[in-house]
Amino acid sequence: MRMRYTVAMTAVMGVPSVFAADLTVKVEIPRLTVAEYHRPYTALWIEKADQSFAANLSVWYDLKMKNNEGTKWLKDMRQWWRKSGRELQMPVDGLSGATRAPGEHTLTFGGAKSPLDKLPAGEYAVVVEAAREVGGRELVRVPFTWPPTAAQSNQAKGEHELGAVSVAVKP
């Protein structure tokens, strides 16, 4: 009896658990010196290697507008809108949130209830798209491998609406 538990525990401990892995995304929203500044609407999602949609991570938009009018401009994040946004009924619990001020923002995803729990093993990219009223639109892709066998970190940098975007994955 004791032998069976030892063999079973060894088998479980020898297999890396997907649920124990974490994905951390840092997004920098630059401070722009413009006459009329509005915080950007921002969407974060995961794409497969062929750039098809895999999972949503977060959507930041103006949640406080009356009659849910903030959703009117979600389609300005064109790539996200075509891949996932038009199929969602916003706000979505655990996905949508308020726009963010200039600065660095960190999001961490992990555990069985995260968008990562159903990702099959493979090559992916975290995509961040920002669109701003009376401003521009920008998209940044940062690749990563899932599930991680070792800690990995990658980053990319936007030119106008987004600053540095980094993705760290650890088993």
Side-chain angles (χ1 to χ4, degrees), residues 100-122:
R100 306 288 170 99
E104 185 176 279
H105 304 279
T106 303
L107 297 103
T108 300
F109 303 92
K113 292 186 176 181
S114 80
L116 306 167
D117 68 337
K118 294 181 178 110
L119 280 184

Side-chain angles (χ1 to χ4, degrees), residues 14 24 30 69 71 74 80 83 102 105 112 118 128 136 145 148 169:
T24 301
E69 288 183 25
T71 59
L74 287 173
W80 171 77
K83 294 184 181 207
H105 304 279
K118 294 181 178 110
V128 180
T145 302
V169 184

Side-chain angles (χ1 to χ4, degrees), residues 123-134:
E123 300 294 319
Y124 294 94
V126 169
V127 185
V128 180
E129 183 174 22
R132 197 167 47 84
E133 183 180 351
V134 196

Side-chain angles (χ1 to χ4, degrees), residues 9 29-30 44 48 50 64 74 84 122 140 146:
M9 290 301 291
I29 296 177
L44 294 89
K48 299 173 189 168
D50 64 358
K64 293 186 176 179
L74 287 173
S84 171
V140 172
W146 189 261

